[in-house]
Structures are given as C-alpha cells and as structure tokens.
Amino acid sequence: MEKKKIRIKDIAQLAGVSIGTVDRVLHNRGKVSDEALQKVLETLHQIDYKPNLIARTLGSKKTYRIAVLIPDPSLDEYWAQSEQGITQAETEWAQYEFSIEPFYFNLYDKESFRSVAEEVTEANPDGILVAPIFYHEALPYFQKFKDMGIPYILFNTNIPEVEPLSFIGQNLYSSGKVGAELMCLGQGGSGNFVVLHINEDSHNSIHLLEKERGFKEYFAEHNGTDYNIKTLDLGNLKETAIEKEVENLLADPKLKGILVSTSKGTSLVSSILEKSGKKDIRLVGYDLLKENIHYLRAGIIDFLINQNPKRQAFLGINYLANHLLLKKAPPHFDLFPLEIITQQNLESYLESTFH
Amino acid sequence: MEKKKIRIKDIAQLAGVSIGTVDRVLHNRGKVSDEALQKVLETLHQIDYKPNLIARTLGSKKTYRIAVLIPDPSLDEYWAQSEQGITQAETEWAQYEFSIEPFYFNLYDKESFRSVAEEVTEANPDGILVAPIFYHEALPYFQKFKDMGIPYILFNTNIPEVEPLSFIGQNLYSSGKVGAELMCLGQGGSGNFVVLHINEDSHNSIHLLEKERGFKEYFAEHNGTDYNIKTLDLGNLKETAIEKEVENLLADPKLKGILVSTSKGTSLVSSILEKSGKKDIRLVGYDLLKENIHYLRAGIIDFLINQNPKRQAFLGINYLANHLLLKKAPPHFDLFPLEIITQQNLESYLESTFH
DNA sequence: GTGAAAGCGCTAACAA
DNA sequence: TTGTTAGCGCTTTCAC
C-alpha cells in the first residue's frame, strides 16, 4: 500500500546518470546518447514514476497564455454571462502563471469572426477557448490551430469533426425535446405550435436547427395527428418587422404555444406577447437574462431552459488550465443538464453560487 | 493591469522584517513582537497578497486529514451518491497532501450516530464534513468540535445555531413550494393532495416539515378553497403497513396528487401506485435513485426534484480543503438550485459530469 | 552530451 | 522574539 514516491533523483541514481539526463529523456529535449537513453528507459520501465506536478509548475517559470474567442459580451447579455465565468476562472488561477487574452467578435458579423480568429493565430497562445457559432467560418481556423499544435476547447456550439480537446455545452436536440415536453405539459399536444428563431443566422447554425429537430421529434413520438408545427425564421428582420410577424402568429386562435430558440429572442417575444394581452399562449424560452427573469416572474414566460453560459465558460478555462499546467485531460464531452426554470424554483437558481 | 506577484519575501522587505516573521504573522504561529506584527499587518493591508499554494504544499510536509460523518452509504442509495462526491473530491485533491477518513453511522439508529461521532472526536481531524440528520444527538458534538478548534461544514440538513463554517444544501421550504407548483401544473389546484413522509423520523427532522410547510403555502397563495391537503406520516411503519395506508389513499376518487418528501419513499410509493394501475395521480418525489429513474421513465412519477447529494458532498470537501490549505473562506450558505427532472431532461442529468 | 547548480515560493528547524 | 537556512521535486542554465 505504502508506495514511497519516486523522484527524478532516484531514477538518475538507479540508471547511473545525472538528473539533467533523466529530465532530457522524460521530455525528450536536448541531446542524449543512445547509451544513456537506454539506461534511463530501462529503469523507467522497471518502476512506476509519477512526476510531481506541483514541483513541476513551481520549478518552471513558463506563463501560459489562453486565448478566448467569443462574441462581444458588451453587445449581448448571454455572452456577458459567459465572460463572467471566464473572469471567475481567471481569478481562481491567478496565483499561477496564467494570462487570459480575450478576442471578441461581432455576434452578427461573420467577417468579424474571421478577422478576430486571425488575430488569435497571430497571438499564438498556449490554448484556446472558443464558441464557434459560425460553422463555415470557423472550420479553417481549427485546421490552423491543429497545425500550430495549439489545443482548443469548444463550448456552446459543438463541431465534432474538428476534434476539440473537449466540448462543453448541451445536447441541443434533447433541449428541443424538453421544450416540447414543457409545451405540452398539462395542456395536451393538440393545436398549433411554433418554433421561432430570432436574431441569429439559423441556416448556418446547427445550433438552432437541432433544437427545432428535437422539438418536432417529441411531437412525432407523443402525439397523434391533431397538431401542427410551424417554424419561423426571423433572423434577418428588424425589430418592428419581427413584431409584425409575431403579432400575426398570435392572431391564430388555435395557437397553443411558442418555443423561442434564443435567449434574446425570448425577451423580445415576451414583450410582444405581454402587449397582446393574450394569457393562454404557452411560452418557452432560454436562459436567465434579466428580461426573461422579469417575464417569467410576471407569468408571461412559462418555462425557461437554462444553458448556464457562465459555468460553461468557467469550466472551459478550468479544463484548459488543468490540461496545460497539470497535463490533466478534460472529459471529451461535458454535456450540461437541461435545467428547467419555473416561477417557483427561479429564486433558488438566482441565489445559488453559480448562477 | 500587470500585477506582478507578491511573495513573502516582498512583504518582508516592505515591512522591514525577515521572511520568518512574515510567515509567523500570516499563520499566527510562533511569537511576534507587537511592533513587527503591526508593520507586517500594515503592509499586508496595502497590498494584495495571494499565497502560492503550489509552493506551500511543496514546502510543507503536513498532510491534512478530513473526517466525513455521514450515514452508511452501503445501506442507502442516496448516501451512496454523497459518497461518490466525496471520492471525486478526494481524487481531485490527491496531488496535495490530503486524506479523507470516513465515519459511517446507521441512518436509522441515533445511538450509532453518537458512537461514531465519538470516534471522530478521538481521531482529531483537521476538518469535518457532516450530515447531521439527528438533531438532538448531533448538538453536543458540535460543541466539542468547536472546543477542539476543528472547523466543520454541514450539508443536507442545516443546524444554523451550531454556526458551521458553511452549510450546503437546499432551501427546503422553497422545495415544498416547487413540489406544489409541479402538482398543479396544467391540472389546476383543486382536489385532494397529500404530503407523504416515509422512512424517517419526521418529528425530529425539520427537514421534512419544511417541505410540507412550503407545499401548503403554495396552495394558500395560489388557490381558492377548492382543495384539500392531507399530511401522512408513515415513518415508523413496516413496508406492508405503509402499503396498506397508501392503498387507502389511492381509493379516494378525488385524490389528484402526492408529494413524497424522501427519496426512498418516492420509490416505494411509485411501486404501489404502479400496482394500483391508477394513471391519473400526479406523483412528485425526490432524487435520482435507480428506482425513481425507472418510475419516471415509466411515467409513474411525473416529476423529481433533485437534491444533488453527490455535488453537495463534493463541494463540502472542496470548501474544507480550500479553507485548510488556502485559508479561503467558503460561503456561509451554498443553497443549491431546485432542479426539476422530467422524462425529457432526465438523460441530460444522467449524462452530465456531475450526476 | 552531460552533470552540477541555481532557482521557483514556501515551510520548518535552528541559531542567535 | 527574530533572522537564516536547508530543503520540497522539478526546470533550466551554464560550464565542461
């Protein structure tokens, strides 16, 4: 049971070489003669050496630089919450040699993503945390990062084929199903239902389409034929135009419920629904934005699904830091639970440490 | 922006004393003259010193011992989940010199709590994590721990008057309200509803009574007079007797729903309800036990409220470790969100790293 | 190619 | 009561 720890010094002694040589072998850096190499490798085989990571980081003066590539937090409350998570992780790691360099792109501008991603490659960081919401624009950069040997972690939106070190986020297909379940809860599944995409380019974002797919699948699984699902994509319209469209929807007497696929869109639709005075439309949306909290309390929004952007980003930095500093591999996937927020459990989410 | 790190050495220089003295002040160990003390405290005030924990653990050979005082995990699935959280925390802190010593008592035997708590005091650990489910039996031990200067953190059940370093758990009053909300969702609030306490000594546990209080309060706030709430305490009965009682309940044609206040009780009631064949009774219970998961999937249970025992225990160890190692104060309260589990979001909870 | 030696920031033992 | 110093295990530099 009681294994005494083996140090580099011990290996050196056993192999009959110096500490420096062992170090060179362990990290294959510097030049080592074949003879020495063999001796060290052999003793390494015979024993179970576990490097003391604490000593390693203390001894090394390297400071790691992590780049964060996300939408500009000052333009969007959802991303502001992500940024909070990053800041929190930053302070927790402050004692070590870490620096976090933010790179913000415009949520509505693919070009800006491109140019900012370019800056990231120029900065040549030791690790990257990125929310790749523009699929096509992001792809080539991951190839670059890979070529440069820079590890990257994705959050919010996954692109499995770029093989990130880790993905942090939710299963959006399931998310859509949960949305549908909440839609039907207690009111049956018959009538007209709408999925609303607002404020993002839904064609380019698997993101929203996945939610839509799950939503429809739930109905297909659970209901007869007595329902109708409509999808509306208001991504490119101005606010007044969106308002018109939503009002049109609400005019439908058979409309039973709306799922809004984005957090910001949820606020917008809530305000329109409130103005309309209609009380019997079930509204399900996303995330604990200020306005959404307000409308949930007011009973306009019936349910929110929480994506927990703050914690997503927080864990992203944590995983990267652990990987770089302690060579500790993060999970390949960290899929967050699909948290359902209602009037009654809302406060418990707001009070708890991580929301 | 660019804060360079402050070392003990720097403080010593600024204060005009030696690093030994600074160390003594920081940890108030050894003797320090008032004059030196003042000088050091003053410079400490002026700067923001963050000790390098890596260097500290490397330099120190102290190994901290944390005692964990909880119900025997092998006798109860809920507590088995707590234990998992402890194990996980243990591995995360493994690199530092930490050891965790478990002390298990019998969930159904107050005497065993007493004797095991006695063992804890004899072990004289550096910190204690405890789930004080027996109120009266626990009280005197906290006094002892306090006298011995051992910090303790409570989870699951709070006893504010013993002034723990931290409490980790849920607001049970709100939990009862959420239970009531889920009870009424989509089916209105009229009819007969029951709160069932099973398998624990509810008189001695504020725990369950708080949930009950919240449950009733919700109805008082939201409904007219067209409802009826009954409380049933089956704590001391045998399984067959419980079964009888529940069957009696189910015979009531006006019965609309049941809230079961314990996780184990939830399983039991589910099996009875399933056998009865009644499909229209709404059942709300607690926690992701294996059986509960089964009954939720089968549609017998409509909603589960997740208390997240694993994470509660995990954070307990974490807070203790941070306190001991980093002198970092944990939050006085860490109130967990009241997570609502449905058929559709269940998998996302099971898949996610922390459940 | 290799070994020796000086740190990294902190603790703890020792001398003064 | 105070200052000095030798580690902790590893990295990194610098002679040889």
Side-chain angles (χ1 to χ4, degrees):
Chain A
M1 202 75 251
E2 260 302 316
K3 282 186 183 180
K4 67 173 168 199
K5 310 210 188 289
I6 292 164
R7 291 117 72 231
I8 285 192
K9 201 179 175 181
D10 301 319
I11 301 174
Q13 245 162 18
L14 289 173
V17 296
S18 76
I19 294 182
T21 302
V22 176
D23 180 75
R24 276 170 275 238
V25 172
L26 284 173
H27 301 292
N28 40 268
R29 55 179 160 223
K31 312 263 174 180
V32 179
S33 69
D34 262 1
E35 193 191 359
L37 180 69
Q38 286 314 318
K39 285 197 286 186
V40 173
L41 285 181
E42 196 166 319
T43 62
L44 276 178
H45 255 280
Q46 285 164 21
I47 57 163
D48 179 36
Y49 170 65
K50 295 191 139 206
N52 183 327
L53 301 175
I54 298 233
R56 158 130 84 221
T57 53
L58 221 211
S60 144
K61 51 214 59 191
K62 171 156 187 61
T63 117
Y64 291 96
R65 295 180 310 118
I66 294 180
V68 172
L69 181 54
I70 58 171
D72 190 338
S74 68
L75 297 177
D76 189 284
E77 198 184 337
Y78 179 85
W79 293 104
Q81 293 186 14
S82 297
E83 197 205 21
Q84 280 175 35
I86 290 165
T87 308
Q88 182 163 337
E90 189 175 14
T91 64
E92 286 203 7
W93 288 93
Q95 33 179 326
Y96 312 96
E97 299 290 326
F98 261 102
S99 78
I100 293 187
E101 300 172 18
F103 293 85
Y104 300 141
F105 58 89
N106 186 320
L107 178 57
Y108 307 107
D109 179 4
K110 298 177 190 178
E111 264 324 304
S112 96
F113 178 89
R114 226 192 290 267
S115 68
V116 173
E118 196 58 45
E119 287 176 37
V120 172
T121 59
E122 275 157 24
N124 189 29
D126 299 295
I128 306 174
L129 177 66
V130 43
I133 63 170
F134 296 118
Y135 178 80
H136 289 298
E137 289 68 17
L139 279 184
Y141 286 99
F142 289 113
Q143 191 51 54
K144 265 194 198 168
F145 298 154
K146 209 174 265 179
D147 293 344
M148 297 167 80
I150 306 175
Y152 46 86
I153 288 182
L154 270 48
F155 76 109
N156 192 272
T157 308
N158 196 10
I159 305 183
E161 58 266 38
V162 302
E163 293 174 338
L165 187 61
S166 181
F167 166 70
I168 301 162
Q170 291 183 321
N171 183 326
L172 301 170
Y173 171 72
S174 300
S175 178
K177 283 184 121 181
V178 171
E181 180 187 39
L182 296 174
M183 200 92 301
C184 298
L185 254 182
Q187 67 171 355
S190 60
N192 291 348
F193 300 91
V194 178
V195 181
L196 260 185
H197 303 304
I198 295 185
N199 267 339
E200 275 179 44
D201 177 12
S202 75
H203 300 302
N204 197 13
S205 60
I206 333 157
H207 206 162
L208 306 184
L209 297 178
E210 278 293 282
K211 289 179 183 172
E212 183 182 321
R213 196 166 67 83
F215 188 83
K216 288 177 176 164
E217 175 62 19
Y218 177 89
F219 277 90
E221 279 173 3
H222 290 76
N223 298 79
T225 49
D226 191 21
Y227 67 90
N228 207 304
I229 295 176
K230 195 170 169 180
T231 303
L232 214 56
D233 190 335
L234 308 180
N236 308 311
L237 302 183
K238 297 211 167 159
E239 208 157 302
T240 49
I242 293 176
E243 210 158 319
K244 272 255 168 62
E245 291 278 356
V246 176
E247 279 163 5
N248 275 350
L249 274 181
L250 295 178
D252 173 7
K254 290 182 67 185
L255 180 72
K256 296 285 277 297
I258 304 175
L259 174 75
V260 190
S261 60
T262 57
S263 46
K264 222 173 176 176
T266 305
S267 304
L268 184 54
V269 173
S270 302
S271 72
I272 301 171
L273 185 56
E274 184 178 43
K275 266 186 262 167
S276 83
K278 293 196 89 172
K279 283 301 238 179
D280 49 346
I281 305 293
R282 180 155 301 175
L283 183 56
V284 179
Y286 282 88
D287 298 317
L288 296 173
L289 304 195
K290 243 185 221 142
E291 281 195 67
N292 291 351
I293 291 172
H294 165 78
Y295 287 118
L296 180 66
R297 285 203 179 113
I300 306 292
I301 295 175
D302 294 282
F303 299 100
L304 287 170
I305 297 173
N306 188 21
Q307 311 197 71
N308 213 339
K310 186 175 169 189
R311 187 166 169 79
Q312 284 191 23
F314 173 80
L315 280 183
I317 297 292
N318 260 6
Y319 286 154
L320 229 26
N322 267 301
H323 171 76
L324 293 172
L325 209 59
L326 301 176
K327 313 297 175 219
K328 214 156 123 189
H332 212 303
F333 289 92
D334 191 344
L335 292 179
F336 277 29
L338 297 158
E339 298 175 332
I340 297 172
I341 316 290
T342 67
Q343 278 190 22
Q344 293 301 314
N345 76 352
L346 169 64
E347 300 306 325
S348 78
Y349 276 88
L350 297 178
E351 282 168 6
S352 80
T353 326
F354 226 111
H355 297 265
Chain B
M1 204 72 254
E2 260 302 317
K3 283 187 182 179
K4 67 171 166 204
K5 316 238 179 264
I6 291 163
R7 289 118 69 233
I8 286 192
K9 203 177 173 182
D10 301 320
I11 302 174
Q13 244 162 17
L14 289 174
V17 295
S18 76
I19 58 173
T21 302
V22 175
D23 180 75
R24 278 173 278 251
V25 173
L26 284 173
H27 304 293
N28 38 268
R29 54 178 161 225
K31 315 263 174 181
V32 179
S33 69
D34 263 0
E35 192 191 359
L37 180 70
Q38 286 315 320
K39 284 196 288 188
V40 173
L41 286 181
E42 197 166 318
T43 62
L44 277 178
H45 255 279
Q46 286 165 19
I47 57 162
D48 179 36
Y49 171 64
K50 295 194 144 204
N52 183 327
L53 138 125
I54 292 220
R56 175 179 297 171
T57 53
L58 187 59
S60 149
K61 50 217 58 188
K62 170 155 186 65
T63 112
Y64 289 97
R65 294 182 310 118
I66 295 180
V68 172
L69 180 54
I70 58 170
D72 189 339
S74 68
L75 298 176
D76 190 282
E77 201 185 333
Y78 180 84
W79 293 104
Q81 294 188 12
S82 297
E83 197 206 20
Q84 281 176 35
I86 290 165
T87 309
Q88 183 163 336
E90 190 176 13
T91 64
E92 285 204 6
W93 288 92
Q95 33 179 325
Y96 311 99
E97 298 293 321
F98 264 101
S99 82
I100 292 186
E101 300 174 16
F103 293 85
Y104 300 140
F105 57 90
N106 186 320
L107 179 56
Y108 305 107
D109 179 5
K110 298 176 189 177
E111 264 325 302
S112 95
F113 179 88
R114 227 193 289 266
S115 69
V116 174
E118 195 60 44
E119 287 176 37
V120 171
T121 58
E122 276 156 23
N124 189 29
D126 299 298
I128 306 175
L129 178 66
V130 42
I133 62 168
F134 298 118
Y135 177 79
H136 290 297
E137 289 69 16
L139 279 184
Y141 286 99
F142 289 115
Q143 190 53 52
K144 266 195 198 169
F145 299 155
K146 210 173 264 178
D147 293 343
M148 296 167 79
I150 306 174
Y152 47 85
I153 288 183
L154 271 47
F155 75 109
N156 191 269
T157 308
N158 196 10
I159 306 184
E161 58 266 39
V162 303
E163 293 175 337
L165 187 61
S166 180
F167 166 70
I168 301 161
Q170 290 183 322
N171 183 326
L172 301 171
Y173 171 74
S174 300
S175 178
K177 283 184 121 178
V178 172
E181 180 186 40
L182 297 174
M183 198 94 305
C184 299
L185 254 181
Q187 67 173 353
S190 58
N192 292 348
F193 299 92
V194 179
V195 180
L196 261 185
H197 302 305
I198 295 185
N199 268 338
E200 274 179 44
D201 177 12
S202 75
H203 300 301
N204 198 11
S205 61
I206 333 158
H207 206 159
L208 306 184
L209 297 178
E210 279 291 283
K211 289 179 183 172
E212 183 182 322
R213 197 166 65 84
F215 188 82
K216 289 177 174 165
E217 175 63 19
Y218 178 89
F219 277 90
E221 278 174 2
H222 288 76
N223 298 78
T225 50
D226 192 20
Y227 69 91
N228 205 304
I229 295 175
K230 195 171 168 179
T231 304
L232 213 55
D233 190 335
L234 307 179
N236 308 311
L237 302 182
K238 297 212 166 156
E239 208 158 298
T240 50
I242 293 176
E243 211 160 316
K244 273 254 167 61
E245 291 277 359
V246 176
E247 280 164 2
N248 275 348
L249 272 182
L250 296 179
D252 173 7
K254 290 182 68 185
L255 180 72
K256 296 286 278 295
I258 304 176
L259 174 75
V260 191
S261 61
T262 57
S263 47
K264 226 174 175 174
T266 304
S267 304
L268 185 53
V269 173
S270 303
S271 72
I272 302 171
L273 184 57
E274 184 177 43
K275 267 187 262 169
S276 82
K278 294 196 87 170
K279 284 302 237 179
D280 49 346
I281 306 293
R282 180 157 300 178
L283 183 55
V284 179
Y286 281 89
D287 299 317
L288 296 173
L289 305 194
K290 242 183 222 145
E291 282 196 65
N292 290 351
I293 290 171
H294 165 78
Y295 288 118
L296 180 66
R297 284 202 179 115
I300 306 291
I301 296 174
D302 294 283
F303 299 100
L304 286 169
I305 298 173
N306 187 23
Q307 311 198 67
N308 213 337
K310 187 174 170 188
R311 188 166 167 81
Q312 284 192 24
F314 174 80
L315 280 182
I317 298 291
N318 260 6
Y319 286 155
L320 229 27
N322 268 298
H323 172 76
L324 293 171
L325 212 60
L326 285 176
K327 315 296 174 217
K328 212 157 127 189
H332 212 304
F333 290 92
D334 190 344
L335 292 179
F336 276 31
L338 297 158
E339 299 175 331
I340 297 171
I341 317 291
T342 67
Q343 279 190 22
Q344 293 301 316
N345 76 351
L346 169 65
E347 301 306 327
S348 77
Y349 275 89
L350 298 178
E351 282 168 5
S352 80
T353 327
F354 230 112
H355 298 266

